[in-house]
Amino acid sequence: MVDIDFFKKVNDSHGHATGDQVLQQVAGVLLSLTRERDVVCRYGGEEFCVLLPDCELHDAVTVAQKFRQGVEMCKPLGILVTASFGVSALNLGPKEPSELLEQADKALYTAKHRGRNCVVQWDGLGLSGESATAEKDMAAAPAPSSTEQESSEMPIQFLEVTAFVSALARRDVELVEHSYRVADLCVAMAQGIMSHKACYILEVAALLHDLGKLTLPDHILKKTVAAYPEEWKIVREQESAGAKIVMAAFGSAELTQLIRTYRAWYQGNPNDPSLPKGEDIPISARILSIAEAFTSMTSPRPYRAIMTCEEALEELNRCSPTQFDPVLVKRFANNLLSSNPKSSSVLLINANPALGTDALSDTPATVSC
């Protein structure tokens, strides 16, 4: 994992256009120092992820040092730029890709706290004072429940998710496009406050939150006027069925809980008092609720006018804290506005279901407002 040091200062001092050129030149340095079979990815913002197949940990650390020296020497547009690096490898015991990424990210975090412009490898035992403290906290924490253990033992398989997404696309392409946009927003909002594994589970939940509509009758799914109360009851029943399908398919209690609770209201859902409220709602479900509502409001519907970005944000604020977590609504709005503060129109990724696995990549979508 690679992160450009103090990149915000570059944008603030030289402008976003210069910042974009710096990103391109740093990417060029990384690409120039890799083998043909290596993979260099923009991970989001000023972060990059480099995959080094058939490479031992000590060799990867050596490569990362070459990257670090190359970035420091390149001076894009005459600007001194440095980067920090976190390295992990399969022989350190990650059970799934998200765990490998999280190890490298924790090493990167330690590199930042050691003064930046350095390389730190994950050793699984605590990389710094901060890591050691975290290890002690984890040791003192209660043992995970049987449900949590079962969830961790059954990683959510990438290909199984794409199979369900393809089935949804055959049923209704617009439904899947909606889910892709919701997933993009969720990932962009969750980065920095949730682990990579939690972000991945949230993204899968966003892609599959409408899975129950596979069995929804056409006269309701494709209705061109607002649904009647009795029809909404059927929709909610199908959402519950979707959660059961997810549990049967993936065996993940965490993923199932997100799909079951994203309709919960922050101060209690009057239509379903059994749902949790406030901080008892999982943070991922609160994020999904906001992203789903925003996407619905800013998407065309035959029975109501489309809202602008500003109108949708105003509606989210109006419904906080009754329906939405006000702190997360503020974060959501800041994420949108900070992407392009000079623009007033929302620009969302127009995801194409035919692209298949793109929505499951770890690179967040660019969302500007």
Side-chain angles (χ1 to χ4, degrees), residues 1-4 41-49 105 108:
M1 295 295 293
V2 187
D3 188 89
I4 300 175
C41 311
R42 171 122 180 250
Y43 193 79
E46 65 271 24
E47 274 193 299
F48 295 87
C49 179
D105 202 45
L108 173 60

Side-chain angles (χ1 to χ4, degrees), residues 58-233:
H58 65 276
D59 293 326
V61 170
T62 300
V63 171
Q65 288 288 5
K66 291 180 180 179
F67 289 156
R68 185 190 64 77
Q69 294 166 1
V71 170
E72 189 173 15
M73 292 173 58
C74 78
K75 295 184 179 179
L77 304 178
I79 302 169
L80 178 61
V81 173
T82 62
S84 300
F85 296 78
V87 184
S88 187
L90 292 173
N91 63 351
L92 294 177
K95 295 178 181 177
E96 51 187 295
S98 61
E99 190 175 343
L100 179 65
L101 282 168
E102 197 159 342
Q103 289 176 356
D105 202 45
K106 287 179 179 177
L108 173 60
Y109 177 84
T110 301
K112 291 287 188 181
H113 279 256
R114 288 184 180 176
R116 298 177 171 82
N117 192 24
C118 64
V119 176
V120 172
Q121 74 177 54
W122 169 259
D123 59 17
L125 299 175
L127 297 159
S128 65
E130 298 90 351
S131 297
T133 302
E135 291 288 338
K136 290 178 182 178
D137 291 343
M138 289 173 65
S145 67
S146 58
T147 300
E148 290 170 333
Q149 290 171 341
E150 288 171 6
S151 177
S152 63
E153 290 170 2
M154 299 182 66
I156 299 166
Q157 297 297 325
F158 183 89
L159 291 177
E160 291 179 13
V161 176
T162 58
F164 279 112
V165 172
S166 297
L168 275 172
R170 293 190 196 98
R171 184 77 169 85
D172 190 323
V173 170
E174 291 183 2
L175 199 63
V176 173
E177 289 178 343
H178 167 84
S179 296
Y180 274 126
R181 294 187 183 105
V182 173
D184 290 338
L185 289 169
C186 283
V187 172
M189 185 176 174
Q191 282 204 327
I193 61 173
M194 293 169 56
S195 69
H196 293 294
K197 182 176 181 179
C199 284
Y200 174 69
I201 293 174
L202 171 58
E203 188 173 11
V204 173
L207 290 170
L208 301 181
H209 74 278
D210 275 336
L211 189 61
K213 292 180 180 177
L214 276 172
T215 57
L216 201 63
D218 278 349
H219 74 274
I220 297 178
L221 180 64
K222 301 181 182 298
K223 195 168 184 180
T224 57
V225 296
Y228 295 116
E230 59 269 22
E231 292 173 330
W232 274 117
K233 184 179 179 182

Side-chain angles (χ1 to χ4, degrees), residues 24-35:
Q24 291 171 17
Q25 293 196 30
V26 169
V29 170
L30 299 177
L31 286 167
S32 70
L33 295 173
T34 51
R35 305 165 298 177

Side-chain angles (χ1 to χ4, degrees), residues 4-56:
I4 300 175
D5 299 326
F6 301 112
F7 185 70
K8 186 176 185 299
K9 288 185 178 179
V10 175
N11 279 334
D12 292 346
S13 302
H14 303 280
H16 288 272
T18 298
D20 287 343
Q21 293 182 58
V22 169
L23 285 171
Q24 291 171 17
Q25 293 196 30
V26 169
V29 170
L30 299 177
L31 286 167
S32 70
L33 295 173
T34 51
R35 305 165 298 177
E36 186 175 346
R37 64 179 178 274
D38 297 334
V39 181
V40 179
C41 311
R42 171 122 180 250
Y43 193 79
E46 65 271 24
E47 274 193 299
F48 295 87
C49 179
V50 183
L51 307 180
L52 304 171
D54 305 313
C55 184
E56 297 295 331

